[in-house]
């Protein structure tokens, strides 16, 4: 069976004391043990988070990284550095990185390779903007994001990949894709992977949905056959709400 995963993307939120508070509250929650739970504090608090969560099953991931291992790249952080503070997983390709920091598919392909080269797991994000959907171009665009950013990897690399479909129009807007829209796209993603690789790989990869997932809509979205969990923004900043989402699988 595919892994069920709920990851909280904290984005640029929570200073040190807020990180400590949120994780302490999270540790008090009863979380479904069948769900892999991930939190992603900003870089400066990863080490603190790792230490706070060391004895729990909650994992710590980073929100981004550079593709080089070290050198003159002011302001950047490498895979090796993340691993040195206990981080094994990284989000790559988030739409905010693409939109505000100019990250394109070619750059993301390099970052994915760097993560794989360091035996890290990548949560690879992609998704269309509202104009793409209105123009009926959303399937083509998603396929292109996968082909150019991810499909250079080998078959064996797929065990280190989690996908996160996040329609940009649903992020932070309160507007979610309907469960049927999510299912339709997730099924398309699996078909695209099956064509490029194999049915086994397509059926084995976890595909998360992201975009305004809340306690009141998570169960219906997670109930769809090709949705294996969620990448949660705003609602991951409240331990009670996040726990309800983790526990929303039927
Ligand atoms: P929201 O849940 O706040 O819409 O954010 C989704 C997201 O961008 C997760 O990566």
């Amino acid at each position: 069976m595919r892994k069920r995963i709920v990851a909280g993307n904290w984005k640029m939120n929570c200073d040190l004391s807020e990180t400590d508070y949120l994780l302490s509250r999270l540790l008090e929650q009863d979380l479904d043990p069948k769900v892999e739970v991930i939190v992603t504090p900003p870089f400066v608090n990863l080490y603190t988070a790792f230490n706070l969560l060391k004895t729990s099953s909650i994992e710590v991931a980073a929100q981004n990284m550079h593709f080089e291992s070290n050198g003159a790249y002011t302001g950047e952080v490498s895979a090796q550095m993340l691993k040195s503070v206990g981080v094994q997983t990284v989000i790559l390709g988030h739409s905010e990185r693409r939109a505000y920091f100019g990250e394109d598919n070619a750059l993301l392909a390099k970052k994915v390779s760097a993560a794989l080269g360091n035996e890290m797991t990548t949560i690879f994000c992609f998704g269309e903007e509202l104009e793409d959907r209105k123009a009926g171009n959303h399937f083509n665009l998603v396929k292109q994001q996968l082909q150019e950013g991810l499909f250079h990897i080998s078959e064996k690399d797929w065990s280190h990949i989690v996908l996160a479909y996040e329609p940009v129009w649903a992020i932070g807007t309160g507007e979610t894709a309907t469960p049927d829209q999510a299912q339709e796209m997730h099924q398309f993603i699996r078909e695209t992977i099956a064509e490029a690789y194999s049915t086994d790989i397509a059926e084995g990869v976890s595909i998360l949905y992201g975009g305004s997932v809340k306690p009141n809509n998570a169960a219906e979205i997670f109930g769809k056959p090709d949705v294996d969990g969620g990448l949660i923004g705003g609602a991951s900043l409240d331990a009670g709400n996040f726990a309800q989402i983790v526990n929303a699988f039927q």
Side-chain angles (χ1 to χ4, degrees):
M1 203 177 104
R2 287 191 290 270
K3 270 196 229 167
R4 292 171 163 183
I5 301 170
V6 173
N9 177 5
W10 290 15
K11 308 191 180 185
M12 196 171 73
N13 292 295
C14 295
D15 64 14
L16 182 58
S17 65
E18 290 163 336
T19 297
D20 188 275
Y21 178 81
L22 178 50
L23 293 179
S24 303
R25 296 289 81 76
L26 197 54
L27 284 168
E28 293 165 4
Q29 310 291 320
D30 280 327
L31 300 173
D32 182 344
K34 294 189 295 302
V35 180
E36 194 173 314
V37 180
I38 302 174
V39 293
T40 67
F43 285 135
V44 287
N45 295 324
L46 288 172
Y47 188 52
T48 300
F50 174 75
N51 281 316
L52 277 169
L53 299 175
K54 231 179 345 206
T55 55
S56 87
S57 58
I58 302 171
E59 291 166 51
V60 180
Q63 300 174 19
N64 179 35
M65 65 171 215
H66 195 266
F67 58 84
E68 292 288 0
S69 32
N70 48 54
Y73 300 98
T74 302
E76 293 292 326
V77 170
S78 72
Q80 282 175 347
M81 293 168 190
L82 293 175
K83 287 183 72 175
S84 76
V85 295
V87 172
Q88 296 288 343
T89 300
V90 62
I91 296 175
L92 295 175
H94 192 278
S95 66
E96 288 148 19
R97 300 293 321 167
R98 293 176 189 259
Y100 307 143
F101 302 98
E103 297 200 4
D104 60 14
N105 294 335
L107 175 71
L108 292 170
K110 285 195 200 176
K111 291 190 175 199
V112 168
S113 294
L116 290 168
N118 284 281
E119 294 180 337
M120 289 180 74
T121 294
T122 295
I123 301 175
F124 186 78
C125 303
F126 53 93
E128 81 283 0
E129 305 209 17
L130 189 57
E131 300 81 73
D132 305 309
R133 185 162 276 265
K134 279 189 178 154
N137 195 35
H138 45 300
F139 292 114
N140 282 340
L141 189 108
V142 159
K143 188 172 193 172
Q144 189 181 0
Q145 287 174 325
L146 290 170
Q147 284 172 334
E148 294 180 6
L150 193 64
F151 282 6
H152 62 291
I153 69 173
S154 71
E155 293 205 357
K156 71 170 178 32
D157 291 333
W158 278 91
S159 58
H160 292 285
I161 299 291
V162 173
L163 299 179
Y165 167 60
E166 299 204 304
V168 179
W169 48 272
I171 294 178
T173 58
E175 185 170 350
T176 44
T178 64
D180 286 340
Q181 282 173 322
Q183 168 58 25
E184 183 186 37
M185 183 57 89
H186 284 219
Q187 190 179 332
F188 171 77
I189 293 161
R190 260 186 238 292
E191 286 163 8
T192 304
I193 297 167
E195 265 171 40
Y197 288 88
S198 68
T199 311
D200 275 2
I201 287 174
E203 289 300 320
V205 65
S206 296
I207 310 179
L208 316 184
Y209 168 80
S212 298
V213 177
K214 307 288 177 201
N216 64 4
N217 60 22
E220 214 190 333
I221 297 171
F222 295 174
K224 292 292 173 186
D226 286 300
V227 178
D228 304 304
L231 184 54
I232 318 302
S236 72
L237 299 174
D238 178 279
N241 285 342
F242 188 58
Q244 283 187 55
I245 295 172
V246 170
N247 295 336
F249 291 91
Q250 300 300 314

